[in-house]
Amino acid sequence: MSAAAPRHWRVAPGGTVSGSLTVPGDKSISHRALMLGALSQGETHISGFLAGEDCLATARALAALGVRIERPADTEVRVHGRGPRGLRAATEALDMGNAGTAMRLMMGLLAPQPFDSTLIGDASLMRRPMERVAEPLRRMGASITTQSGRPPVVVHGTPHLTGITYTLPVASAQVKSALLLAALAARGTTQLTEPAPSRDHTERMLRAFGVELSQHAGVIGLEGGQPLRATSLAVPADFSSAAFFLVAGALAAERPLTLGNVGVNPTRTGLLELLRLMGADIRVHARPGGTGHNAEPAADLEVRRAPLRGITVPEALVPLAIDELPVFFIAAAAASGETLVRGAGELRVKESDRLAAMAAGLRVLGVEHELLPDGLRIVGAPQFSGGCVESFGDHRIAMAFAVAALKARAPIEIRDVANVATSFPGFEECARRAGLGLEAL
Ligand code: S3P
């Protein structure tokens, strides 16, 4: 968490948004680029890197494991790969900050190393479930302890892992990716089946590093022992960060708002489909060739204000929009009619309990809703009241309620926003440039 970051925001009610923005690089891809770069042979170049607190925690952890990482510019990184067996034990516990992705993927990366590691994090991360990764890694032969399922996670590394055939109980890219990282160093083949597709950045990037991977009828197969060849990766802008402005634009862009070079991997863009089902006007201008070697498609997204209608969210889209649901709930709150989201119980174990956090904020804003065990029912209203909303230290809750101010009658104060720096450094400036009346307190 950045010490200089403000603790609270006041966002003026109403207004419009417009113009052109480029939001920072993709968080999921930036974490993976650092980790795969570290395991590869040679020097990996990353451009468009997200210099947010979460990815910097991954970079610090890898440096503590002996990886030389240079940052010739804020968003440019050079990773000097150590090869699959080149890491060394860290002298202290690895602090992953607020980053669940970093901790879970590091579990898979560390399980086959010939030394022990301890993973810790901030108060939010220390509450998050880690057995979903530890349990299948143990099936591969790993030795991992958690504290009643939560961090600190102690990984007693062993170079003798064996590939497994495993069906993930939840659609989780973090679990899938941790297992693929461990599988790289395991004897034999690992075969993973997901209950529903989740983001596939790891699979795409492994191929960019020269690893062969099979994908048939929803089963991913990886043969252990394959070397990784260092490469050059261009990280597109983070769809999850663009999402706040897609909703802001759908609510209040009298003139177009354009978001440049956004990653539009179809395993991430469920929000586009949801907003379109509601009647949003979003145009996708594909960038030919995507972002090069890592084969991640990118596009410029242009959004204009349009009347939104409430919808019943198709459950298949939930994993494809999982991080965007907080701001989607704001779109639902401003739509005509009722919106129902079910099958989103995973939101309860994110950086905060995002269902409870959004329900608490919607209550403050006078939006009629019902908190369900695995979702929310929201009755849209043309305007919200203002008030003081708690972010629960969760970056995406804070940014979602900043967008809500566009439909409020009075200012919205948002408490405890410092963690926005984990995923979206520069959000305040982007928000003001787009037209939001955001003031740091
Ligand atoms: C991520 C996967 C998702 C997502 C998280 C990033 C990743 O988590 O919510 O923000 O980079 O793999 P789950 O795997 O828990 O669904």
Side-chain angles (χ1 to χ4, degrees):
M1 195 156 64
S2 141
R7 303 283 301 157
H8 316 296
W9 291 331
R10 185 182 297 120
V11 192
T16 61
V17 290
S18 64
S20 292
L21 294 175
T22 303
V23 302
D26 187 279
K27 181 150 76 80
S28 293
I29 298 174
S30 295
H31 282 302
R32 287 159 170 79
L34 291 172
M35 292 185 200
L36 295 188
L39 294 178
S40 74
Q41 217 65 259
E43 198 179 297
T44 286
H45 292 243
I46 310 169
S47 62
F49 175 73
L50 171 64
E53 294 296 327
D54 277 10
C55 300
L56 296 177
T58 292
R60 276 193 295 271
L62 292 169
L65 294 163
V67 182
R68 189 149 72 87
I69 297 176
E70 295 172 298
R71 298 246 319 272
D74 201 41
T75 61
E76 299 285 320
V77 181
R78 269 199 292 269
V79 184
H80 298 266
R82 308 268 316 172
R85 307 239 169 259
L87 303 183
R88 59 163 159 71
T91 52
E92 288 176 2
L94 301 168
D95 186 350
M96 309 318 299
N98 193 243
T101 304
M103 184 172 287
R104 294 192 177 126
L105 269 58
M106 287 299 283
M107 288 168 70
L109 183 148
L110 291 168
Q113 301 298 329
F115 53 78
D116 295 353
S117 306
T118 301
L119 295 160
I120 56 170
D122 71 2
S124 151
L125 186 52
M126 294 302 273
R127 286 193 294 269
R128 296 183 66 187
M130 294 298 148
E131 277 299 317
R132 53 178 59 196
V133 181
E135 195 271 327
L137 284 175
R138 284 188 204 110
R139 295 184 190 213
M140 299 177 83
S143 170
I144 296 178
T145 59
T146 62
Q147 292 277 325
S148 309
R150 299 187 159 67
V153 176
V154 181
V155 182
H156 302 285
T158 164
H160 305 296
L161 300 189
T162 316
I164 51 167
T165 296
Y166 183 69
T167 300
L168 279 72
V170 283
S172 164
Q174 293 178 353
V175 176
K176 173 178 64 177
S177 302
L179 298 180
L180 290 174
L181 286 174
L184 280 173
R187 195 160 21 87
T189 305
T190 293
Q191 292 202 309
L192 304 176
T193 307
E194 291 192 275
S198 67
R199 64 191 69 192
D200 66 357
H201 304 303
T202 304
E203 297 91 306
R204 287 174 190 249
M205 200 181 289
L206 280 169
R207 290 200 177 97
F209 277 88
V211 173
E212 277 180 31
L213 212 74
S214 64
Q215 269 168 308
H216 299 298
V219 183
I220 303 165
L222 178 82
E223 182 74 39
Q226 299 184 57
L228 279 75
R229 279 193 315 270
T231 185
S232 282
L233 302 167
V235 181
D238 198 326
F239 183 85
S240 297
S241 296
F244 299 101
F245 295 99
L246 288 179
V247 172
L251 300 184
E254 270 173 21
R255 285 178 294 119
L257 176 64
T258 303
L259 297 149
N261 193 34
V262 181
V264 287
N265 178 320
T267 59
R268 290 288 296 282
T269 52
L271 178 75
L272 273 184
E273 288 178 57
L274 294 180
L275 290 175
R276 283 184 173 146
L277 287 173
M278 295 176 101
D281 177 357
I282 303 175
R283 301 171 200 185
V284 177
H285 307 286
R287 290 206 172 197
T291 52
H293 291 124
N294 44 327
E296 289 283 353
D300 298 331
L301 305 179
E302 191 182 337
V303 56
R304 288 171 174 76
R305 185 169 71 182
L308 301 183
R309 310 175 283 279
I311 56 168
T312 294
V313 167
E315 281 197 26
L317 289 180
V318 166
L320 310 182
I322 192 74
D323 291 342
E324 293 66 62
L325 288 176
V327 77
F328 170 75
F329 294 145
I330 299 301
S336 60
E338 192 175 299
T339 292
L340 180 66
V341 181
R342 303 299 306 257
E346 275 293 299
L347 289 183
R348 293 205 178 265
V349 290
K350 295 293 180 187
E351 286 83 327
S352 68
D353 176 342
R354 287 183 171 159
L355 291 177
M358 289 304 298
L362 291 174
R363 194 172 317 122
V364 170
L365 300 185
V367 177
E368 189 186 331
H369 66 278
E370 186 186 353
L371 177 58
L372 305 164
D374 64 342
L376 273 176
R377 188 179 65 81
I378 296 174
V379 182
Q383 262 202 324
F384 318 143
S385 59
C388 183
V389 168
E390 186 51 59
S391 80
F392 299 91
D394 185 326
H395 53 137
R396 299 202 202 284
I397 303 298
M399 292 185 276
F401 282 110
V403 172
L406 291 165
K407 285 287 168 186
R409 290 189 271 282
I412 298 183
E413 197 171 304
I414 305 157
R415 311 295 291 171
D416 196 8
V417 300
N419 273 339
V420 167
T422 60
S423 69
F424 199 154
F427 172 76
E428 291 174 23
E429 203 190 309
C430 274
R432 285 192 206 107
R433 193 135 40 90
L436 283 166
L438 185 151
E439 183 193 349
L441 302 177

